[in-house]
Amino acid sequence: GAGVSQSPSNKVTEKGKDVELRCDPISGHTALYWYRQSLGQGLEFLIYFQGNSAPDKSGLPSDRFSAERTGGSVSTLTIQRTQQEDSAVYLCASSFLGGRNAGELFFGEGSRLTVL
Amino acid sequence: QKEVEQNSGPLSVPEGAIASLNCTYSDRGSQSFFWYRQYSGKSPELIMFIYSNGDKEDGRFTAQLNKASQYVSLLIRDSQPSDSATYLCAVNYGGYSTLTFGKGTMLLVSP
């Protein structure tokens, strides 16, 4: 596809369950980002992958959150033992890094997570 | 702590007016500056970027950067109701760093 693809678009889960969110970036984009956005809030950085470098995990809010990126392409964000405060829209973005182009992010439509 | 500050608004302007959206950032080492537009229920989309001091114009949009004052703004001329959205300011601190986003300013353009 031409854009960043995320799945599922909506996920309702019970507190304590694990969830996986998937992101398929734009082909050829070397950088992949996960952000989350709670209702009425700004974008909160979670994790960043760049090529084969070690990911920047500095934004992950707790050790219940983890992410991987396989083959430099598809990424999965996993939230273990979900809590109600994890409810948010999880946005994936990709970019083709080239110096200043680092900020030209292309976002997917997001995965809306609701934890009951 | 790198911070990007924006007035949450809403900023209300009548159709045809100029909307002025402002953003300040904390780190003098910031290199690249971006404005994203986010319609309600949608994902952010890039509308402007600016790297150098001064103005950059693209259609009805003008981005202004003043690195000495650590200030970046977005002007929307001839505002339209379709411009009603939340505008997110984002800053890149260089190299392979991530973008830091402000919380956004909601713009409402009334017919």
Side-chain angles (χ1 to χ4, degrees):
Chain A
V4 176
S5 177
Q6 291 188 246
S7 62
S9 55
N10 277 287
K11 176 72 176 179
V12 180
T13 191
E14 293 179 349
K15 177 181 173 180
K17 300 284 190 183
D18 297 352
V19 297
E20 285 190 351
L21 307 176
R22 175 189 167 102
C23 174
D24 197 346
I26 293 172
S27 178
H29 280 191
T30 57
L32 186 148
Y33 309 76
W34 284 98
Y35 288 86
R36 75 175 175 181
Q37 189 172 35
S38 301
L39 187 63
Q41 299 299 310
L43 293 173
E44 177 188 5
F45 165 71
L46 297 177
I47 189 169
Y48 158 60
F49 297 90
Q50 163 52 19
N52 295 319
S53 301
D56 177 355
K57 304 180 181 180
S58 60
L60 294 178
S62 77
D63 59 8
R64 296 187 294 104
F65 288 73
S66 63
E68 63 176 17
R69 187 179 185 191
T70 54
S73 182
V74 172
S75 177
T76 301
L77 176 69
T78 301
I79 309 172
Q80 295 178 310
R81 305 181 302 281
T82 51
Q83 303 294 312
Q84 289 182 330
E85 60 263 28
D86 300 333
S87 297
V89 176
Y90 289 80
L91 290 164
C92 177
S94 69
S95 74
F96 174 70
L97 283 188
R100 292 168 168 176
N101 292 332
E104 297 179 46
L105 270 56
F106 295 83
F107 284 87
E109 290 301 311
S111 292
R112 180 177 298 277
L113 174 65
T114 302
V115 182
L116 302 178
Chain B
Q1 180 86 7
K2 297 181 173 69
E3 296 183 346
V4 179
E5 300 288 340
Q6 295 181 258
N7 189 319
S8 62
L11 173 66
S12 295
V13 300
E15 184 175 358
I18 296 175
S20 178
L21 303 159
N22 305 314
C23 171
T24 59
Y25 57 95
S26 62
D27 192 325
R28 288 191 175 275
S30 305
Q31 295 190 3
S32 313
F33 307 85
F34 303 82
W35 284 99
Y36 283 77
R37 177 176 62 200
Q38 187 174 25
Y39 291 114
S40 181
K42 298 295 186 181
S43 295
E45 57 178 338
L46 180 67
I47 54 172
M48 288 284 290
F49 58 87
I50 187 167
Y51 304 139
S52 303
N53 274 328
D55 294 359
K56 178 181 178 182
E57 186 175 320
D58 184 1
R60 294 186 297 112
F61 298 95
T62 298
Q64 299 175 316
L65 175 61
N66 184 325
K67 289 190 176 181
S69 299
Q70 296 175 233
Y71 177 94
V72 59
S73 64
L74 178 70
L75 301 179
I76 306 175
R77 290 182 299 281
D78 188 24
S79 295
Q80 301 297 309
S82 59
D83 295 326
S84 297
T86 295
Y87 289 80
L88 302 168
C89 174
V91 177
N92 178 285
Y93 295 97
Y96 293 111
S97 64
T98 62
L99 276 187
T100 299
F101 283 86
K103 293 187 184 297
T105 298
M106 180 184 294
L107 173 67
L108 299 176
V109 181
S110 54

